Amino acid sequence: MNIKNLKTEETTLSDLNESKAPKAPVLINQSLYEIVMKTKSKQFQFDCGLIMALITVPLNSKFGLKWHFDNTTSFEGFLTSVEQFMKVANIFVITDKDKKLLKKQYDKQSKKR
């Protein structure tokens, strides 16, 4: 039996166990979903009742307005992206009030770019 090989195998097993641990960003993202769902001040609520994460919440998902902001270059593109996401939930109308509030969110975030 070669002791050197045994040590190498132990180290390799240890490394494998560490690499199987969940990565922090996944856990952070999951907790952000929970925070958004439990905290009204982190939510953007449409007149139809649909809720999304505010544009200031760094949620890397289409559920967050920040994702739509980061993946578009204009308010029109942002609005279209949000509307496409809403269609998945069978919501096809965004009210003028919703558009006005989305524009306010968009403009506020644009100043930070």
Tab-separated table of all heavy atoms in Angstrom, residues 11-61:
chain	number	residue	atom	x	y	z
A	11	THR	N	-7.375	13.774	0.346
A	11	THR	CA	-7.470	15.188	-0.010
A	11	THR	C	-8.490	15.380	-1.132
A	11	THR	O	-9.322	16.266	-1.077
A	11	THR	CB	-6.091	15.718	-0.462
A	11	THR	OG1	-5.156	15.497	0.586
A	11	THR	CG2	-6.162	17.192	-0.782
A	12	THR	N	-8.437	14.511	-2.107
A	12	THR	CA	-9.378	14.605	-3.218
A	12	THR	C	-10.814	14.435	-2.734
A	12	THR	O	-11.693	15.194	-3.117
A	12	THR	CB	-9.051	13.542	-4.288
A	12	THR	OG1	-7.704	13.712	-4.695
A	12	THR	CG2	-9.958	13.687	-5.482
A	13	LEU	N	-11.065	13.477	-1.853
A	13	LEU	CA	-12.409	13.286	-1.312
A	13	LEU	C	-12.865	14.514	-0.545
A	13	LEU	O	-13.999	14.955	-0.660
A	13	LEU	CB	-12.456	12.051	-0.403
A	13	LEU	CG	-12.392	10.708	-1.112
A	13	LEU	CD1	-12.324	9.578	-0.088
A	13	LEU	CD2	-13.593	10.525	-2.014
A	14	SER	N	-11.968	15.082	0.221
A	14	SER	CA	-12.293	16.291	0.973
A	14	SER	C	-12.668	17.427	0.027
A	14	SER	O	-13.641	18.140	0.232
A	14	SER	CB	-11.104	16.693	1.848
A	14	SER	OG	-11.362	17.921	2.462
A	15	ASP	N	-11.873	17.574	-1.027
A	15	ASP	CA	-12.153	18.622	-2.007
A	15	ASP	C	-13.498	18.403	-2.686
A	15	ASP	O	-14.252	19.348	-2.919
A	15	ASP	CB	-11.056	18.675	-3.069
A	15	ASP	CG	-9.730	19.169	-2.501
A	15	ASP	OD1	-9.744	19.784	-1.415
A	15	ASP	OD2	-8.691	18.931	-3.148
A	16	LEU	N	-13.809	17.155	-3.005
A	16	LEU	CA	-15.091	16.847	-3.640
A	16	LEU	C	-16.259	17.194	-2.724
A	16	LEU	O	-17.259	17.750	-3.159
A	16	LEU	CB	-15.168	15.370	-4.022
A	16	LEU	CG	-14.353	14.947	-5.232
A	16	LEU	CD1	-14.414	13.441	-5.402
A	16	LEU	CD2	-14.851	15.637	-6.488
A	17	ASN	N	-16.130	16.874	-1.456
A	17	ASN	CA	-17.202	17.183	-0.506
A	17	ASN	C	-17.433	18.683	-0.414
A	17	ASN	O	-18.557	19.140	-0.345
A	17	ASN	CB	-16.883	16.611	0.883
A	17	ASN	CG	-17.031	15.098	0.913
A	17	ASN	OD1	-17.753	14.536	0.098
A	17	ASN	ND2	-16.347	14.457	1.835
A	18	GLU	N	-16.362	19.459	-0.420
A	18	GLU	CA	-16.500	20.919	-0.354
A	18	GLU	C	-17.152	21.464	-1.615
A	18	GLU	O	-17.953	22.377	-1.567
A	18	GLU	CB	-15.134	21.561	-0.144
A	18	GLU	CG	-14.584	21.346	1.251
A	18	GLU	CD	-13.182	21.908	1.420
A	18	GLU	OE1	-12.754	22.706	0.556
A	18	GLU	OE2	-12.534	21.564	2.408
A	19	SER	N	-16.817	20.899	-2.776
A	19	SER	CA	-17.364	21.418	-4.026
A	19	SER	C	-18.846	21.093	-4.184
A	19	SER	O	-19.538	21.721	-4.965
A	19	SER	CB	-16.574	20.891	-5.221
A	19	SER	OG	-16.781	19.502	-5.352
A	20	LYS	N	-19.352	20.106	-3.442
A	20	LYS	CA	-20.769	19.753	-3.526
A	20	LYS	C	-21.645	20.655	-2.662
A	20	LYS	O	-22.851	20.616	-2.742
A	20	LYS	CB	-20.988	18.295	-3.120
A	20	LYS	CG	-20.465	17.319	-4.138
A	20	LYS	CD	-20.761	15.900	-3.723
A	20	LYS	CE	-20.235	14.919	-4.743
A	20	LYS	NZ	-20.486	13.546	-4.363
A	21	ALA	N	-21.032	21.472	-1.831
A	21	ALA	CA	-21.802	22.376	-0.969
A	21	ALA	C	-22.522	23.411	-1.828
A	21	ALA	O	-22.002	23.838	-2.852
A	21	ALA	CB	-20.865	23.073	0.018
A	22	PRO	N	-23.725	23.825	-1.439
A	22	PRO	CA	-24.452	24.842	-2.203
A	22	PRO	C	-23.659	26.137	-2.270
A	22	PRO	O	-22.983	26.516	-1.325
A	22	PRO	CB	-25.740	25.054	-1.400
A	22	PRO	CG	-25.841	23.899	-0.489
A	22	PRO	CD	-24.467	23.366	-0.289
A	23	LYS	N	-23.744	26.792	-3.388
A	23	LYS	CA	-23.020	28.046	-3.580
A	23	LYS	C	-23.826	29.189	-2.972
A	23	LYS	O	-25.041	29.208	-3.031
A	23	LYS	CB	-22.763	28.278	-5.055
A	23	LYS	CG	-21.838	27.222	-5.630
A	23	LYS	CD	-21.595	27.436	-7.088
A	23	LYS	CE	-20.694	26.330	-7.612
A	23	LYS	NZ	-20.587	26.327	-9.031
A	24	ALA	N	-23.138	30.161	-2.433
A	24	ALA	CA	-23.771	31.277	-1.730
A	24	ALA	C	-24.782	32.042	-2.583
A	24	ALA	O	-25.856	32.350	-2.111
A	24	ALA	CB	-22.716	32.212	-1.165
A	25	PRO	N	-24.484	32.379	-3.851
A	25	PRO	CA	-25.462	33.151	-4.619
A	25	PRO	C	-26.832	32.487	-4.717
A	25	PRO	O	-27.841	33.148	-4.702
A	25	PRO	CB	-24.821	33.277	-6.001
A	25	PRO	CG	-23.367	33.164	-5.739
A	25	PRO	CD	-23.252	32.193	-4.595
A	26	VAL	N	-26.874	31.174	-4.786
A	26	VAL	CA	-28.159	30.478	-4.848
A	26	VAL	C	-28.922	30.709	-3.556
A	26	VAL	O	-30.099	31.035	-3.564
A	26	VAL	CB	-27.948	28.961	-5.095
A	26	VAL	CG1	-29.259	28.223	-4.984
A	26	VAL	CG2	-27.312	28.742	-6.454
A	27	LEU	N	-28.238	30.585	-2.428
A	27	LEU	CA	-28.888	30.800	-1.142
A	27	LEU	C	-29.332	32.252	-0.992
A	27	LEU	O	-30.413	32.527	-0.504
A	27	LEU	CB	-27.947	30.411	0.012
A	27	LEU	CG	-27.590	28.929	0.083
A	27	LEU	CD1	-26.576	28.692	1.188
A	27	LEU	CD2	-28.829	28.089	0.302
A	28	ILE	N	-28.497	33.176	-1.431
A	28	ILE	CA	-28.857	34.592	-1.344
A	28	ILE	C	-30.092	34.852	-2.193
A	28	ILE	O	-31.023	35.503	-1.771
A	28	ILE	CB	-27.680	35.487	-1.791
A	28	ILE	CG1	-26.573	35.424	-0.741
A	28	ILE	CG2	-28.127	36.923	-2.001
A	28	ILE	CD1	-25.280	36.070	-1.159
A	29	ASN	N	-30.115	34.319	-3.417
A	29	ASN	CA	-31.265	34.506	-4.288
A	29	ASN	C	-32.532	33.946	-3.657
A	29	ASN	O	-33.578	34.566	-3.701
A	29	ASN	CB	-30.999	33.838	-5.636
A	29	ASN	CG	-31.125	34.792	-6.792
A	29	ASN	OD1	-31.343	35.979	-6.607
A	29	ASN	ND2	-30.979	34.279	-7.977
A	30	GLN	N	-32.449	32.753	-3.073
A	30	GLN	CA	-33.619	32.164	-2.435
A	30	GLN	C	-34.093	33.033	-1.286
A	30	GLN	O	-35.280	33.259	-1.126
A	30	GLN	CB	-33.294	30.754	-1.948
A	30	GLN	CG	-33.151	29.760	-3.071
A	30	GLN	CD	-32.695	28.396	-2.585
A	30	GLN	OE1	-32.263	28.241	-1.453
A	30	GLN	NE2	-32.789	27.421	-3.457
A	31	SER	N	-33.190	33.551	-0.489
A	31	SER	CA	-33.604	34.382	0.631
A	31	SER	C	-34.166	35.716	0.132
A	31	SER	O	-35.059	36.277	0.758
A	31	SER	CB	-32.457	34.604	1.619
A	31	SER	OG	-31.417	35.339	1.024
A	32	LEU	N	-33.678	36.221	-0.998
A	32	LEU	CA	-34.236	37.455	-1.556
A	32	LEU	C	-35.686	37.247	-1.989
A	32	LEU	O	-36.520	38.123	-1.806
A	32	LEU	CB	-33.396	37.949	-2.737
A	32	LEU	CG	-32.129	38.706	-2.376
A	32	LEU	CD1	-31.331	39.045	-3.632
A	32	LEU	CD2	-32.433	39.960	-1.596
A	33	TYR	N	-35.981	36.100	-2.571
A	33	TYR	CA	-37.375	35.793	-2.916
A	33	TYR	C	-38.245	35.850	-1.657
A	33	TYR	O	-39.323	36.440	-1.662
A	33	TYR	CB	-37.506	34.393	-3.534
A	33	TYR	CG	-37.132	34.304	-4.980
A	33	TYR	CD1	-35.986	33.627	-5.388
A	33	TYR	CD2	-37.928	34.880	-5.963
A	33	TYR	CE1	-35.650	33.534	-6.728
A	33	TYR	CE2	-37.609	34.785	-7.297
A	33	TYR	CZ	-36.467	34.115	-7.671
A	33	TYR	OH	-36.141	34.020	-8.999
A	34	GLU	N	-37.767	35.223	-0.599
A	34	GLU	CA	-38.518	35.209	0.652
A	34	GLU	C	-38.703	36.619	1.196
A	34	GLU	O	-39.795	36.983	1.640
A	34	GLU	CB	-37.809	34.338	1.681
A	34	GLU	CG	-37.851	32.872	1.361
A	34	GLU	CD	-37.022	32.020	2.309
A	34	GLU	OE1	-36.735	32.482	3.428
A	34	GLU	OE2	-36.667	30.902	1.932
A	35	ILE	N	-37.645	37.409	1.154
A	35	ILE	CA	-37.721	38.786	1.645
A	35	ILE	C	-38.754	39.576	0.848
A	35	ILE	O	-39.588	40.282	1.415
A	35	ILE	CB	-36.342	39.469	1.586
A	35	ILE	CG1	-35.416	38.854	2.642
A	35	ILE	CG2	-36.459	40.976	1.792
A	35	ILE	CD1	-33.958	39.258	2.504
A	36	VAL	N	-38.717	39.441	-0.471
A	36	VAL	CA	-39.675	40.163	-1.323
A	36	VAL	C	-41.103	39.736	-1.014
A	36	VAL	O	-41.998	40.573	-0.877
A	36	VAL	CB	-39.351	39.956	-2.821
A	36	VAL	CG1	-40.476	40.484	-3.702
A	36	VAL	CG2	-38.039	40.634	-3.170
A	37	MET	N	-41.318	38.442	-0.863
A	37	MET	CA	-42.671	37.955	-0.622
A	37	MET	C	-43.204	38.357	0.756
A	37	MET	O	-44.407	38.504	0.933
A	37	MET	CB	-42.738	36.438	-0.799
A	37	MET	CG	-42.448	35.981	-2.224
A	37	MET	SD	-43.380	36.848	-3.506
A	37	MET	CE	-45.027	36.276	-3.194
A	38	LYS	N	-42.326	38.576	1.699
A	38	LYS	CA	-42.747	38.913	3.063
A	38	LYS	C	-42.711	40.404	3.368
A	38	LYS	O	-43.276	40.839	4.370
A	38	LYS	CB	-41.852	38.185	4.077
A	38	LYS	CG	-42.020	36.685	4.065
A	38	LYS	CD	-41.080	36.021	5.043
A	38	LYS	CE	-41.225	34.510	5.006
A	38	LYS	NZ	-40.277	33.835	5.899
A	39	THR	N	-42.051	41.199	2.515
A	39	THR	CA	-41.841	42.614	2.818
A	39	THR	C	-42.490	43.489	1.752
A	39	THR	O	-42.002	43.575	0.631
A	39	THR	CB	-40.328	42.921	2.901
A	39	THR	OG1	-39.696	41.943	3.713
A	39	THR	CG2	-40.082	44.302	3.453
A	40	LYS	N	-43.566	44.156	2.105
A	40	LYS	CA	-44.298	44.985	1.138
A	40	LYS	C	-43.438	46.105	0.560
A	40	LYS	O	-43.608	46.482	-0.588
A	40	LYS	CB	-45.551	45.564	1.770
A	40	LYS	CG	-46.636	44.532	1.971
A	40	LYS	CD	-47.967	45.197	2.270
A	40	LYS	CE	-49.023	44.160	2.476
A	40	LYS	NZ	-49.764	43.850	1.279
A	41	SER	N	-42.499	46.623	1.346
A	41	SER	CA	-41.655	47.717	0.868
A	41	SER	C	-40.649	47.257	-0.190
A	41	SER	O	-39.994	48.085	-0.812
A	41	SER	CB	-40.912	48.371	2.036
A	41	SER	OG	-40.032	47.453	2.637
A	42	LYS	N	-40.539	45.967	-0.428
A	42	LYS	CA	-39.648	45.416	-1.458
A	42	LYS	C	-40.439	44.974	-2.692
A	42	LYS	O	-39.884	44.416	-3.622
A	42	LYS	CB	-38.866	44.208	-0.922
A	42	LYS	CG	-38.023	44.478	0.287
A	42	LYS	CD	-36.822	45.293	-0.055
A	42	LYS	CE	-35.940	45.480	1.179
A	42	LYS	NZ	-34.988	46.532	1.000
A	43	GLN	N	-41.752	45.228	-2.684
A	43	GLN	CA	-42.625	44.742	-3.749
A	43	GLN	C	-43.125	45.876	-4.644
A	43	GLN	O	-43.368	46.988	-4.179
A	43	GLN	CB	-43.861	44.072	-3.150
A	43	GLN	CG	-43.577	42.881	-2.289
A	43	GLN	CD	-44.815	42.364	-1.578
A	43	GLN	OE1	-45.891	42.946	-1.655
A	43	GLN	NE2	-44.665	41.255	-0.879
A	44	PHE	N	-43.278	45.558	-5.915
A	44	PHE	CA	-43.993	46.413	-6.838
A	44	PHE	C	-45.273	45.662	-7.155
A	44	PHE	O	-45.233	44.565	-7.698
A	44	PHE	CB	-43.196	46.649	-8.122
A	44	PHE	CG	-43.880	47.587	-9.073
A	44	PHE	CD1	-43.607	48.934	-9.028
A	44	PHE	CD2	-44.813	47.121	-9.989
A	44	PHE	CE1	-44.248	49.816	-9.902
A	44	PHE	CE2	-45.458	47.975	-10.851
A	44	PHE	CZ	-45.181	49.333	-10.802
A	45	GLN	N	-46.406	46.257	-6.794
A	45	GLN	CA	-47.679	45.582	-7.023
A	45	GLN	C	-48.447	46.291	-8.131
A	45	GLN	O	-48.682	47.489	-8.081
A	45	GLN	CB	-48.524	45.532	-5.755
A	45	GLN	CG	-49.784	44.717	-5.942
A	45	GLN	CD	-50.477	44.363	-4.648
A	45	GLN	OE1	-50.062	44.756	-3.574
A	45	GLN	NE2	-51.547	43.606	-4.752
A	46	PHE	N	-48.819	45.506	-9.131
A	46	PHE	CA	-49.616	46.017	-10.241
A	46	PHE	C	-51.077	46.085	-9.823
A	46	PHE	O	-51.498	45.418	-8.877
A	46	PHE	CB	-49.459	45.089	-11.455
A	46	PHE	CG	-48.084	45.111	-12.059
A	46	PHE	CD1	-47.096	44.265	-11.577
A	46	PHE	CD2	-47.771	45.971	-13.099
A	46	PHE	CE1	-45.824	44.267	-12.126
A	46	PHE	CE2	-46.500	45.989	-13.654
A	46	PHE	CZ	-45.522	45.142	-13.163
A	47	ASP	N	-51.857	46.887	-10.534
A	47	ASP	CA	-53.288	47.010	-10.240
A	47	ASP	C	-54.007	45.664	-10.298
A	47	ASP	O	-54.964	45.433	-9.570
A	47	ASP	CB	-53.962	47.991	-11.206
A	47	ASP	CG	-53.681	49.442	-10.842
A	47	ASP	OD1	-53.306	49.708	-9.675
A	47	ASP	OD2	-53.827	50.314	-11.725
A	48	CYS	N	-53.527	44.756	-11.128
A	48	CYS	CA	-54.159	43.440	-11.263
A	48	CYS	C	-53.830	42.519	-10.086
A	48	CYS	O	-54.399	41.444	-9.957
A	48	CYS	CB	-53.721	42.780	-12.555
A	48	CYS	SG	-51.946	42.429	-12.596
A	49	GLY	N	-52.894	42.928	-9.222
A	49	GLY	CA	-52.529	42.132	-8.057
A	49	GLY	C	-51.189	41.417	-8.179
A	49	GLY	O	-50.658	40.915	-7.196
A	50	LEU	N	-50.641	41.339	-9.389
A	50	LEU	CA	-49.338	40.701	-9.593
A	50	LEU	C	-48.262	41.469	-8.828
A	50	LEU	O	-48.269	42.705	-8.800
A	50	LEU	CB	-48.979	40.663	-11.078
A	50	LEU	CG	-47.645	40.008	-11.430
A	50	LEU	CD1	-47.751	38.494	-11.303
A	50	LEU	CD2	-47.217	40.376	-12.827
A	51	ILE	N	-47.356	40.731	-8.220
A	51	ILE	CA	-46.265	41.331	-7.451
A	51	ILE	C	-44.942	40.961	-8.094
A	51	ILE	O	-44.738	39.825	-8.508
A	51	ILE	CB	-46.282	40.829	-5.992
A	51	ILE	CG1	-47.532	41.328	-5.284
A	51	ILE	CG2	-45.027	41.258	-5.241
A	51	ILE	CD1	-47.725	40.729	-3.910
A	52	MET	N	-44.055	41.948	-8.175
A	52	MET	CA	-42.677	41.730	-8.610
A	52	MET	C	-41.763	42.422	-7.615
A	52	MET	O	-42.206	43.307	-6.874
A	52	MET	CB	-42.451	42.300	-10.019
A	52	MET	CG	-43.187	41.564	-11.109
A	52	MET	SD	-42.932	42.276	-12.756
A	52	MET	CE	-41.250	41.776	-13.085
A	53	ALA	N	-40.494	42.038	-7.613
A	53	ALA	CA	-39.517	42.696	-6.741
A	53	ALA	C	-39.225	44.083	-7.303
A	53	ALA	O	-39.130	44.273	-8.516
A	53	ALA	CB	-38.233	41.880	-6.678
A	54	LEU	N	-39.091	45.053	-6.408
A	54	LEU	CA	-38.755	46.410	-6.828
A	54	LEU	C	-37.457	46.435	-7.614
A	54	LEU	O	-36.615	45.533	-7.491
A	54	LEU	CB	-38.595	47.324	-5.607
A	54	LEU	CG	-39.868	47.820	-4.938
A	54	LEU	CD1	-39.521	48.652	-3.709
A	54	LEU	CD2	-40.710	48.634	-5.899
A	55	ILE	N	-37.262	47.484	-8.354
A	55	ILE	CA	-36.088	47.632	-9.203
A	55	ILE	C	-34.797	47.762	-8.383
A	55	ILE	O	-33.712	47.506	-8.882
A	55	ILE	CB	-36.279	48.835	-10.165
A	55	ILE	CG1	-35.428	48.681	-11.403
A	55	ILE	CG2	-36.033	50.141	-9.442
A	55	ILE	CD1	-35.838	49.594	-12.538
A	56	THR	N	-34.918	48.099	-7.115
A	56	THR	CA	-33.748	48.251	-6.244
A	56	THR	C	-33.309	46.931	-5.605
A	56	THR	O	-32.228	46.861	-5.022
A	56	THR	CB	-34.044	49.259	-5.121
A	56	THR	OG1	-35.217	48.836	-4.422
A	56	THR	CG2	-34.248	50.653	-5.676
A	57	VAL	N	-34.120	45.899	-5.719
A	57	VAL	CA	-33.786	44.590	-5.137
A	57	VAL	C	-32.914	43.829	-6.137
A	57	VAL	O	-33.349	43.572	-7.258
A	57	VAL	CB	-35.064	43.785	-4.810
A	57	VAL	CG1	-34.707	42.417	-4.263
A	57	VAL	CG2	-35.935	44.548	-3.832
A	58	PRO	N	-31.693	43.463	-5.761
A	58	PRO	CA	-30.760	42.825	-6.703
A	58	PRO	C	-31.075	41.351	-6.957
A	58	PRO	O	-30.232	40.473	-6.782
A	58	PRO	CB	-29.411	42.991	-6.009
A	58	PRO	CG	-29.739	42.989	-4.560
A	58	PRO	CD	-31.082	43.666	-4.448
A	59	LEU	N	-32.278	41.083	-7.380
A	59	LEU	CA	-32.729	39.724	-7.649
A	59	LEU	C	-32.434	39.411	-9.114
A	59	LEU	O	-32.936	40.076	-10.011
A	59	LEU	CB	-34.232	39.629	-7.375
A	59	LEU	CG	-34.868	38.273	-7.353
A	59	LEU	CD1	-34.255	37.409	-6.261
A	59	LEU	CD2	-36.359	38.398	-7.118
A	60	ASN	N	-31.606	38.430	-9.368
A	60	ASN	CA	-31.208	38.086	-10.725
A	60	ASN	C	-32.212	37.099	-11.326
A	60	ASN	O	-31.911	35.943	-11.555
A	60	ASN	CB	-29.795	37.507	-10.740
A	60	ASN	CG	-29.249	37.405	-12.131
A	60	ASN	OD1	-29.715	38.068	-13.044
A	60	ASN	ND2	-28.276	36.554	-12.321
A	61	SER	N	-33.421	37.605	-11.549
A	61	SER	CA	-34.513	36.778	-12.043
A	61	SER	C	-35.545	37.688	-12.705
A	61	SER	O	-35.669	38.855	-12.348
A	61	SER	CB	-35.145	36.040	-10.864
A	61	SER	OG	-36.433	35.606	-11.161
